[in-house]
Amino acid sequence: MTKKDLTEPRFRRAAEDARTAERAVHDTPQTQDPAYRLAFGDTEFLLRQELRPVRFQLELLKPEMLLEEAGIGSTLVIYGSARIPAPDKCEGMVEAARSPEEKKVAERLVAKARYYDEARKLAQLASECGVVEDGKRQFVVCSGGGPSIMEAANRGAADVGMDSVGLNIVLPHEQAPNRFVTPHLSFQFHYFALRKMHFLLRARAVAVFPGGFGTFDEFFELLTLIQTGKMAPIPIVLFGQDFWNRVVNFEALAEEGVISPGNLDLFSFVETADEAWTKIRTFYDLPCG
């Protein structure tokens, strides 16, 4: 008996039967009815309410399998606003404001444009480090795949010729991957829960830039997982101490007794990419800097 005899599958593969079913020429009431479709090729069936557990499993499995096949061992996750402009897109924003309130908002967004550059530089630093462990790449940049800070993260990796991951999600308004995400590492989700799980399954460090509800959701879930012991501590760096202390009174949470004072040590404030990467590098004793 040859090696091929031992390893060849005994059963016909599903892909082969799917192709055979597509070529079927029978045109009868039975073959034309949706009941006759192969279950795994029947989109209408897979989208039924009762199939939600199966869709959960598919959204867990697909990115996991493809990231494993791509040899990605861990990630540096970068969260942040989809609204902060790149520095070269700031011109005219303030002048375009139609009211004093809009002008103030525009001025604040323009002031935050520097974070685009910091996110881009942090991604460059992590990508250039080129850590390989157990044959897999470590600290691969991962973002939400969208514009603004997310784009800057993927762009920084592309600047130095390295891959990066984008975890997009279907939204009611138009949403698409930014052009810097590595195509075979660009994923799309229906379920926020599964997307957030994939952000953290491989995360070795997380950088959080100023952002809104989405950034808060991702950041506070991460804090909760570490606070409750469901996840091992990792470096969490918050860019922009003035911003974060203005929008969240962390000290007051401890003073009110709803968190422990030690919980404030779960994250660090930083202002620059160099400062953030130094904290991450020191935590793991990485040789590159």
Side-chain angles (χ1 to χ4, degrees):
M1 186 174 289
T2 67
K3 185 176 181 181
K4 180 178 180 181
D5 293 327
L6 292 171
T7 58
E8 280 293 302
R10 302 292 79 174
F11 293 99
R12 182 174 166 87
R13 294 185 183 277
E16 294 178 290
D17 272 356
R19 287 192 291 269
T20 299
E22 288 177 359
R23 293 195 302 267
V25 295
H26 304 291
D27 187 4
T28 68
Q30 292 76 24
T31 60
Q32 293 304 307
D33 194 274
Y36 191 70
R37 297 173 190 159
L38 286 169
F40 54 80
D42 187 345
T43 302
E44 291 181 13
F45 174 68
L46 290 175
L47 294 179
R48 288 177 57 160
Q49 190 79 0
E50 299 90 338
L51 272 290
R52 179 177 289 152
V54 175
R55 295 195 297 273
F56 263 62
Q57 186 175 19
L58 290 173
E59 286 209 343
L60 177 63
L61 279 173
K62 182 180 178 180
E64 176 65 21
M65 292 170 65
L66 295 183
L67 289 170
E68 182 70 21
E69 290 170 4
I72 295 177
S74 71
T75 55
L76 164 61
V77 175
I78 297 180
Y79 294 143
S81 174
R83 303 186 184 197
I84 293 174
D88 61 356
K89 300 291 177 61
C90 291
E91 187 176 351
M93 283 186 62
V94 176
E95 292 76 8
R98 295 169 295 182
S99 68
E101 292 75 19
E102 285 189 7
K103 183 177 180 180
K104 288 181 181 178
V105 170
E107 289 172 342
R108 291 190 179 114
L109 285 173
V110 167
K112 293 182 185 68
R114 66 184 181 87
Y115 291 120
Y116 184 101
D117 285 339
E118 296 301 332
R120 184 176 177 181
K121 184 174 182 181
L122 178 59
Q124 293 171 353
L125 291 169
S127 299
E128 284 179 321
C129 191
V131 179
V132 176
E133 187 178 287
D134 296 329
K136 295 182 178 180
R137 291 170 291 164
Q138 310 297 323
F139 298 101
V140 176
V141 170
C142 175
S143 85
S148 189
I149 296 299
M150 295 173 279
E151 175 189 280
N154 298 114
R155 186 175 185 176
D159 287 339
V160 296
M162 298 300 287
D163 290 341
S164 67
V165 181
L167 306 182
N168 285 78
I169 189 159
V170 178
L171 298 174
H173 53 274
E174 184 178 352
Q175 207 262 8
N178 68 69
R179 62 190 177 93
F180 300 103
V181 180
T182 301
H184 69 275
L185 300 177
S186 182
F187 303 99
Q188 184 172 214
F189 291 84
H190 170 63
Y191 298 106
F192 269 109
L194 273 297
R195 179 179 183 245
K196 288 192 290 183
M197 179 175 284
H198 277 292
F199 271 129
L200 299 181
L201 280 174
R202 283 176 164 77
R204 291 278 289 274
V206 175
V208 188
F209 286 81
F213 289 159
T215 301
F216 275 49
D217 179 35
E218 294 154 354
F219 171 48
F220 279 100
E221 180 159 322
L222 170 60
L223 288 182
T224 302
L225 288 168
I226 296 176
Q227 178 202 47
T228 57
K230 299 286 283 185
M231 179 177 171
I234 61 174
I236 304 173
V237 289
L238 267 63
F239 278 77
Q241 185 169 3
D242 287 345
F243 169 83
W244 287 105
N245 282 338
R246 181 170 184 264
V247 298
V248 182
N249 194 333
F250 294 105
E251 297 287 346
L253 291 173
E255 291 169 1
E256 292 292 330
V258 292
I259 64 170
S260 301
N263 293 154
L264 299 176
D265 297 327
L266 295 178
F267 54 86
S268 303
F269 292 112
V270 298
E271 299 299 328
T272 68
D274 287 319
E275 187 181 357
W277 184 241
T278 296
K279 288 183 179 293
I280 295 168
R281 183 170 55 84
T282 301
F283 187 93
Y284 290 108
D285 194 25
L286 298 175
C288 47

